[in-house]
Amino acid sequence: MARRIIIIGGGAAGFFAAITAAEAGAHVTILEKSAHLLSKVKISGGGRCNVTHAPSEAARFAENYPRGQRPLIGALSQFSATDAIEWFARRGVKMYTQEDGCLFPVSDDSQTIIDCFLKAARDAGVNMRLNAASERIERVAVGFCATLANGETLECERLLLATGGCRVASMGELAVSLGHTLEPPVPSLFTFHIEVPWLQKLAGIVVADVEAGVPAAKLGERGILLITHWGVSGPVILRLSAWGARKLAELEYKFTLQLNWLPELNERALGETLDSRREESPAKLVVNTPVAPLTARLWEALVLAAGVPRGTRWSALSKAQKHSLMKQLMRTELPVSGKSLNKDEFVTCGGVKLSEVNFKTMESKLCPGLYFAGELLDIDGITGGFNFQACWTTGYIAGKSMSV
């Protein structure tokens, strides 16, 4: 007789688990509280859907998860990025890999992934119910009984909670009601607000290689920086926000961001570079002669921010001005006053405590027959397709385990 399974949450992890279990012969029902399935998949990657990241050995791949790294090593050995790529390929979804390792469907349209899931779920016989909020879950003789908002009750032998990230603790209340504890939820993957006029005037500039740090939280990253109308973003900032999610929350998102615009040069090399400018171009204005690879606009802004007057020529640059310019180039200090979401995406740090879950099966250690998958767990990755891969991996393991 087919296993009766209820999956609460019609998102990425819930669908992956549902399809896996149904294709193995289980009778699966997805309960989605909203009127839309896979809504987060729809907006991910700016509507393109960054499905996963370029495959690598499990331990190395797991290094991209600030929380969940250790238990994911074994899980990724069961279902890796390579497995995910092949899973989608078998269902007609081809992908391409960007230079940064991010994989997208060749259509560059998240609807391709949604259509793939919906077809696979229908073909496997998954029952998908919308506007079906689960208000209460109880243990019963057969397994579990879910009471919906309209008073309807549904029973199952095995239950999967895949309700998504706990933006607030109440979003994990079903897990708590079944005996689990939540790590406090705080945002991860966010951009920084910086209200500095000279920086805001540079909105739109992308700097390919910057060292960014938060001394107060002992954080440091290196990579691409994007200057925005509200502050700074880009991969280097998103990695800082992911690895420092809890520390930055403790600082109430008010701290000093330090930027090194020329990480390839040490202090001595930079000093020699500026000295050579003085010797080779003494009559030229400092603001008009940028040091590569900085753009003319960014260089001009940094020179003026260092207190070097616009009309200063290299021959007239004083030792104090040179010192100030070097400090600005290597240790620009910017006051962060808040945060914003990365585009329309929301990734949380926090969720069901990982020590309470068996990652070989994704079954609860506290409540037999209860399973977890996706962002409800205290797992989050850096930007680049890692959060979706965690959904595919935990969803696959849960789906496979529940159907047995």
Side-chain angles (χ1 to χ4, degrees):
M1 185 175 177
R3 290 280 188 193
R4 286 180 296 158
I5 297 170
I6 287 178
I7 293 176
I8 299 180
F15 258 83
F16 215 87
I19 294 165
T20 301
E23 289 181 345
H27 182 273
V28 182
T29 298
I30 291 176
L31 301 179
E32 168 56 43
K33 67 179 181 180
S34 74
H36 303 284
L37 296 166
L38 300 161
S39 56
K40 192 166 184 179
V41 174
K42 181 68 175 176
I43 64 173
S44 69
R48 295 164 60 212
C49 191
N50 184 182
V51 179
T52 187
H53 200 85
S56 60
E57 185 265 331
R60 183 178 177 187
F61 199 95
E63 290 175 356
N64 295 285
Y65 295 87
R67 283 146 294 273
Q69 178 178 346
R70 184 172 294 179
L72 276 176
I73 294 175
L76 287 163
S77 298
Q78 290 194 59
F79 193 85
S80 65
T82 298
D83 295 321
I85 294 166
E86 293 174 352
W87 189 96
F88 283 103
R90 288 195 301 271
R91 291 160 178 81
V93 178
K94 296 181 180 180
M95 299 185 204
Y96 71 94
T97 308
Q98 293 187 160
E99 288 185 8
D100 60 3
C102 298
L103 272 82
F104 291 87
V106 294
S107 65
D108 271 333
D109 187 351
S110 60
Q111 192 62 43
T112 300
I113 305 301
I114 293 173
D115 291 343
C116 170
F117 278 143
L118 293 176
K119 182 180 186 305
R122 286 193 295 266
D123 290 349
V126 175
N127 180 24
M128 296 169 275
R129 296 189 55 177
L130 298 173
N131 299 307
S134 301
E135 289 202 336
R136 187 170 70 255
I137 302 292
E138 297 173 292
R139 291 303 306 261
V140 294
V142 69
F144 300 91
C145 179
T147 301
L148 307 188
N150 63 5
E152 180 183 359
T153 58
L154 297 172
E155 292 189 347
C156 64
E157 295 167 278
R158 293 182 176 175
L159 176 76
L160 172 69
L161 294 182
T163 50
C166 297
R167 302 185 193 184
V168 292
S170 61
M171 295 180 70
E173 61 186 11
L174 291 178
V176 173
S177 73
L178 293 169
H180 281 271
T181 53
L182 298 180
E183 298 288 359
V186 297
S188 180
L189 292 188
F190 49 84
T191 62
F192 297 170
H193 281 190
I194 299 172
E195 298 178 6
V196 173
W198 69 261
L199 185 75
Q200 292 173 325
K201 290 177 182 178
L202 298 174
I205 286 181
V206 176
V207 188
D209 188 17
V210 170
E211 281 182 348
V214 181
K218 297 181 180 179
L219 296 169
E221 290 288 336
R222 182 170 172 176
I224 300 171
L225 177 82
L226 169 64
I227 302 175
T228 69
H229 291 289
W230 61 87
V232 289
S233 183
V236 69
I237 298 301
L238 296 176
R239 286 199 296 273
L240 275 179
S241 73
W243 289 103
R246 294 206 180 280
K247 292 180 179 179
L248 298 182
E250 291 171 2
L251 293 172
E252 298 181 338
Y253 309 105
K254 293 178 175 59
F255 52 86
T256 296
L257 174 68
Q258 195 171 90
L259 298 177
N260 180 356
W261 303 94
L262 295 168
E264 288 292 331
L265 299 178
N266 59 29
E267 190 166 348
R268 179 179 176 180
L270 178 57
E272 291 175 349
T273 298
L274 299 185
D275 288 341
S276 68
R277 288 300 170 87
R278 185 202 307 273
E279 295 174 7
E280 296 168 4
S281 308
K284 289 186 177 180
L285 296 176
V286 176
V287 293
N288 290 344
T289 48
V291 171
L294 301 183
T295 64
R297 278 183 65 204
L298 177 56
W299 171 262
E300 178 184 24
L302 290 170
V303 170
L304 297 177
V308 178
R310 183 179 294 277
T312 303
R313 300 185 186 280
W314 281 104
S315 60
L317 188 70
S318 69
K319 287 186 178 180
Q321 288 172 333
K322 175 189 170 184
H323 176 76
S324 178
L325 179 57
M326 289 181 63
K327 181 180 178 183
Q328 189 71 21
L329 292 169
M330 302 189 76
R331 292 182 297 279
T332 294
E333 294 189 344
L334 298 167
V336 175
S337 58
K339 61 174 175 54
S340 290
L341 301 187
N342 175 35
K343 299 176 182 177
D344 293 319
E345 302 177 45
F346 199 116
V347 175
T348 52
C349 154
V352 171
K353 198 170 183 177
L354 302 186
S355 62
E356 299 175 352
V357 180
N358 179 355
F359 270 72
K360 292 181 179 179
T361 60
M362 301 314 300
E363 185 175 15
S364 165
K365 294 179 181 179
L366 309 179
C367 182
L370 173 66
Y371 294 75
F372 296 96
E375 291 182 17
L376 177 60
L377 294 158
D378 184 26
I379 292 175
D380 61 287
I382 63 175
T383 185
F386 297 103
N387 285 296
F388 270 143
Q389 183 58 49
C391 289
W392 316 144
T393 294
T394 56
Y396 174 83
I397 295 172
K400 182 180 177 182
S401 302
M402 290 188 297
S403 63
V404 176

